[in-house]
Structure formats: C-alpha cells, structure tokens
Amino acid sequence: MTSACSTMHAASALFPLQTSMKYRDNPDAVRALVQDDRVHRDLYIDAELFELEQQHFFANTWNYVGHESQVAQPGDYVTNEIAGRPIIVVRQEDGSVRVLMNRCAHKGTRVVSAPSGNTGGFFRCPYHGWAYRTDGSLLAIPWKKGYDGAPLFMQDASRGLAVVSDVQVYRGFIFARLNNAGPRFEEYFGESLTSIDNMVDRSPQGALEIAGGCLRYLHKCNWKMFVENLNDTMHPMVVHESSAGTAKKMWTGQPADAPKPMAVEQFVPFMSDYKFFEDMGVRVFENGHSFSGVNFSIHSKYSAIPAYDAAMKAAYGEERAARILGLARHNTVYYPNLTIKGAIQSIRVVKPLAVDRTLIESWTFRLKGAPPELLERTTTYNRLINSPFSVVGHDDLHSYRSIQAGLHASGHEWVNLQRNFERSEVGLRDVTALGTSEISMRNQYRAWAHYITATMGSPITFE
C-alpha cells in the first residue's frame, strides 16, 4: 500500500508548490532589485522572477536561435526554444528563413521532435496527421469532412502554425524576438555587431559554417551567473589556478623560443596577472551587450599559421587582413543568450531551464577558405575550455554552484557590483572602461530591469 507521505511526495514532484507573488503584478518592486552598483539576490534565486523572465524578459529581447549553415537547403530545419517556447527554424524555397512555433494548431502536439533534419515540403503532426507547409500555413487535415458545417475557418487552427514575425539574419547568425514591441534589430545590437563582423571576416571567403559538433554543459546555477562571468576578468587567476596554473608551471623553464603545444598556448594566458586583464579594457553598449579585449586579449599571441595568413592577404590585401586579424576580442556578450569568441571561432548559447539550472551549448565554426589548422585550434580550445570534461570548465562550475548555494545564506541580501563604478556611466549608451571593471554586469542588469518590466501589466503581442 502506498503511504500518505509517499503519495504527497509524488504529488509535490508533479505539482510543485506555487511560488510567492511578490513581483508578478509589481513592476516597481522588480525594478527596485537593480540599483546603480548592486543587485538583490532574488535575481538569482527567486522562482517567481524566473517565471517572469520566461514570460516577459526573453520575449522582449532578441535571442540567437541558430546559424544559416544549419539550414542550408530548402526544408532544412533545427528545433530550439525561446523562454520555454518550442520553435522550428526552417529554410524556405525562396531561400529565406522562417521561425515557427513548434505546436500543432489542432491539439498542441510538438510537430517536430528531432533536433534537426530536412522535412521536404511540409511538416506533419505525429498525433492526428495535420500537415503544414514550411511557411507554417495549413496544408491538409485528414478526413476533413468531419469539419463540414463547423466554422473551422473562424478558429486559430485554420491559420496553421504560429509564425514568429521578428526574425533577422545577420551575416549568417539567426535572431528572433517573440514580442513585436521594442527596438528593432539594428537598434538593439548597435555597434556590438562589429564582433560578428570580425568573426565572419576572418574567413578568406567571408563565410562561416558550423563544424565539430556541439558540447553541452549543465550548470546548477541561474543563467545570469554564467553571462556575467564572461567578462569578469578578476576571477581567472584565482578560479583557474589549479588548472591553467598547473599548465603554466609545467611549461616553466622551457626555452623562450620553444614552440608551445597548442594546449599550453591556450591554457597559460588564463593565468595572466591583474594588470594584463585591466589593460585589456572592456566596452559596454546599451541593452546589456559588451566585450572585453578592447586593446588585446588572451587570444592575441597565438602562433601564426602561414598558410592562413597568406590566404587572408590574398582575399583582403595586406593592410585589411592585418586589421581583421589584429582585432582579438575576448568574449562578446550579445545579451541575453549568445556569447562569441571571434578570434577562436567559437560561440556559447545560454539556455535557462530553471531558476537554478542552465544548459550551455558550445559550438565551433569552420572559416570557409581557411586551412584545416584553424578548425583544429578551434575545436581543441572548445574541448579544453568548454567541454563537460574540461578542467577549466569545472573550475567555473564549482564557482557557480557555490554562488547559487551561498546566496541562500542569511545576512547579506545584495550582490556588490561596485568595482570601478562611476555615477556618470548611468544612462550612457556606449562606455569603454578598465578591463577589471564590473561595468559589464551593471550594464546587463540595467537592461534586465528594463526588458523584464517593459510588458508587465500589459498583454504581450504575438503574430
């Protein structure tokens, strides 16, 4: 016989207790969580705020959903999510890309379950067989005479799959926004797009393609911890001492002109001193975007690959090739869910799962027209730094878990972000600062407070 306690336990797992209602109908209370130089711990640990992020914040911001090389041919698709809403990114016959809600208009079944593939000319629901063209329009209904006399044409079901109307492809990177309100794509990202430009321009053919597979890493932390850590340059020499520090010690004593193994070349810069990271510089933009490595970065002194240099000079000329390759930014954050490393042709995509669970996907790119050594360097870096088996990645994992747990302790309700704070930075659209400043985090949370509250108290409009 099942005990009452076990029954209650099973029920609580299926139907978790309702979260508090401190914030749902109170945008002023949400805004008050973000102050000029600190944020409240609830941003990381409150389940109600996470639900509001899913409902409002991610709907109001532009999110990366895929790359054109993943949907190269008509009918090619990838499935993804924005704020828990399943979507399909699909190539059309005319070469355009559409983003559809992955929900049958009949009873709500996910139309596509596979992560990627080619659907041919239509999608077919696996439950009742309703079929849709790749543009989302309704193609066929089995035994349609059952709707004779019923006003199906007056129902939403007759419109087919819901279409996400705000979609932008920028140099192969596909972004979508669920809510039609707010700044358009170019205004939202502004000059931060120069990091994507530089990454694509590093190809002698001016084009990228995803290669090398995807590495997925589950972090037991709030998604914002990962994003703010990307341009936190005060942690590497502490957190990564056991991994990168060990690699540095192993190489100590080698002749200055000795060729470094690729792994050592990629590990050692993490142990640069505070002055190095401060002099790197950081630049922040309106809407939460930023990049570190204004002047140089940990990627600036990788060994030259002569065949690649020659291919770049042939494609762009010596002067422009030098400008492209001389720009070696560290992490560029496209707030909220994409970070890229143009100098190493790698991206990471943030997928919030719960208030304390975040999936990170790491993807690598082939520079079209570049020799294979470039992709080898890229995939080596991704395995060393971003893989679930990475020793560097585990350093960060431990930090994220410790923060998530520690924030529940009593005594301090605020997270301090005061390093190099200047009152004059508030309200500026574009600021360059010392690389060790916490300005990128302050900038992210100002954007967070704006976009999560922008539609609170008003209906979100979808097409």
Side-chain angles (χ1 to χ4, degrees):
M1 178 180 292
T2 304
S3 69
C5 288
S6 63
T7 301
M8 290 176 64
H9 178 77
S12 65
L14 289 172
F15 306 104
L17 295 175
Q18 292 296 311
T19 56
S20 66
M21 299 295 286
K22 293 186 293 184
Y23 301 116
R24 180 160 301 281
D25 299 314
N26 195 346
D28 288 337
V30 175
R31 294 187 193 100
L33 299 173
V34 177
Q35 299 185 5
D36 288 345
D37 56 4
R38 63 179 188 170
V39 296
H40 196 271
R41 65 179 180 180
D42 277 3
L43 268 71
Y44 308 94
I45 64 174
D46 189 274
E48 183 188 6
L49 282 177
F50 180 80
E51 292 173 3
L52 290 173
E53 287 177 340
Q54 298 288 81
Q55 182 181 353
H56 295 282
F57 174 76
F58 286 102
N60 294 333
T61 52
W62 287 89
N63 289 258
Y64 172 78
V65 295
H67 191 265
E68 275 198 313
S69 62
Q70 296 174 284
V71 288
Q73 301 299 322
D76 283 354
Y77 67 86
V78 293
T79 54
N80 209 327
E81 286 190 357
I82 300 178
R85 300 167 176 89
I87 60 170
I88 309 167
V89 181
V90 58
R91 178 75 69 175
Q92 304 297 298
E93 288 290 339
D94 63 3
S96 64
V97 173
R98 279 209 166 195
V99 177
L100 312 172
M101 284 293 166
N102 191 4
R103 184 249 194 234
C104 181
H106 179 211
K107 287 206 168 182
T109 310
R110 277 195 311 171
V111 177
V112 181
S113 297
S116 62
N118 186 288
T119 192
F122 63 93
F123 294 106
R124 183 175 180 269
C125 177
Y127 190 17
H128 292 101
W130 285 39
Y132 306 90
R133 299 176 183 88
T134 58
D135 66 359
S137 61
L138 184 61
L139 175 63
I141 299 174
W143 210 242
K144 193 175 181 180
K145 70 177 185 178
Y147 292 97
D148 290 349
L152 180 63
F153 69 93
M154 297 176 62
Q155 301 290 326
D156 287 343
S158 67
R159 297 168 56 191
L161 302 179
V163 177
V164 178
S165 59
D166 277 359
V167 177
Q168 183 76 35
V169 180
Y170 185 82
R171 303 205 69 177
F173 290 77
I174 307 168
F175 294 84
R177 181 180 59 175
L178 299 183
N179 188 3
N180 297 325
R184 306 305 298 171
F185 178 84
E186 293 80 5
E187 180 186 355
Y188 182 77
F189 286 111
E191 200 171 343
S192 70
L193 291 170
T194 57
S195 290
I196 290 180
D197 291 335
N198 178 256
M199 183 171 171
V200 179
D201 288 344
R202 285 173 171 269
S203 159
Q205 297 178 11
L208 307 174
E209 60 182 356
I210 282 183
C214 176
L215 299 176
R216 293 179 174 87
Y217 208 144
L218 181 63
H219 289 287
K220 294 181 180 179
C221 71
N222 186 271
W223 67 273
K224 294 184 287 296
M225 289 179 193
F226 174 84
V227 176
E228 71 176 54
N229 185 66
L230 291 164
N231 285 331
D232 180 332
T233 58
M234 289 297 296
H235 83 276
M237 66 292 293
V238 179
V239 172
H240 301 306
E241 184 176 9
S242 63
S243 54
T246 300
K248 184 176 182 178
K249 288 177 182 177
M250 291 176 64
W251 191 250
T252 300
Q254 294 293 321
D257 58 350
K260 290 181 181 177
M262 191 176 293
V264 172
E265 188 174 66
Q266 294 176 341
F267 264 138
V268 170
F270 281 85
M271 288 305 297
S272 300
D273 60 19
Y274 292 110
K275 184 68 164 57
F276 175 91
F277 284 107
E278 180 162 281
D279 290 345
M280 268 177 42
V282 63
R283 187 176 176 188
V284 303
F285 304 90
E286 190 177 30
N287 301 317
H289 320 302
S290 61
F291 68 81
S292 55
V294 175
N295 303 308
F296 54 83
S297 78
I298 64 173
H299 307 299
S300 294
K301 293 187 177 181
Y302 287 167
S303 300
I305 299 175
Y308 175 55
D309 292 344
M312 288 293 287
K313 290 175 183 177
Y316 295 107
E318 188 166 350
E319 184 177 339
R320 189 180 175 206
R323 285 201 308 270
I324 293 169
L325 299 180
L327 198 64
R329 294 171 180 171
H330 181 40
N331 287 315
T332 297
V333 174
Y334 289 106
Y335 200 62
N337 80 326
L338 174 66
T339 175
I340 77 168
K341 280 182 174 286
I344 203 69
Q345 298 90 59
S346 175
I347 68 171
R348 282 174 285 182
V349 184
V350 180
K351 297 193 169 185
L353 304 179
V355 68
D356 58 356
R357 294 289 187 277
T358 304
L359 179 67
I360 304 299
E361 292 187 345
S362 298
W363 300 84
T364 50
F365 288 82
R366 176 185 289 110
L367 300 172
K368 289 189 176 181
E373 291 89 340
L374 267 295
L375 182 59
E376 179 188 357
R377 186 164 70 186
T378 297
T379 53
T380 298
Y381 183 91
N382 210 32
R383 290 196 301 270
L384 284 174
I385 310 302
N386 300 327
S387 163
F389 300 99
S390 159
V391 289
V392 172
H394 280 76
D395 295 339
D396 291 319
L397 179 146
H398 175 75
S399 296
Y400 301 151
R401 288 183 178 180
S402 296
I403 298 168
Q404 193 70 40
L407 286 173
H408 288 273
S410 302
H412 294 283
E413 293 194 356
W414 292 89
V415 174
N416 185 286
L417 301 175
Q418 283 184 306
R419 181 174 288 277
N420 298 115
F421 171 68
E422 296 181 11
R423 190 74 55 187
S424 60
E425 76 188 38
V426 179
L428 296 180
R429 299 168 63 99
D430 184 342
V431 181
T432 299
L434 296 174
T436 50
S437 172
E438 291 175 331
I439 190 172
S440 61
M441 302 155 209
R442 298 190 291 266
N443 186 55
Q444 288 166 17
Y445 291 123
R446 289 167 193 151
W448 178 89
H450 171 73
Y451 285 104
I452 193 173
T453 59
T455 49
M456 287 179 65
S458 62
I460 297 180
T461 58
F462 301 104
E463 289 187 5

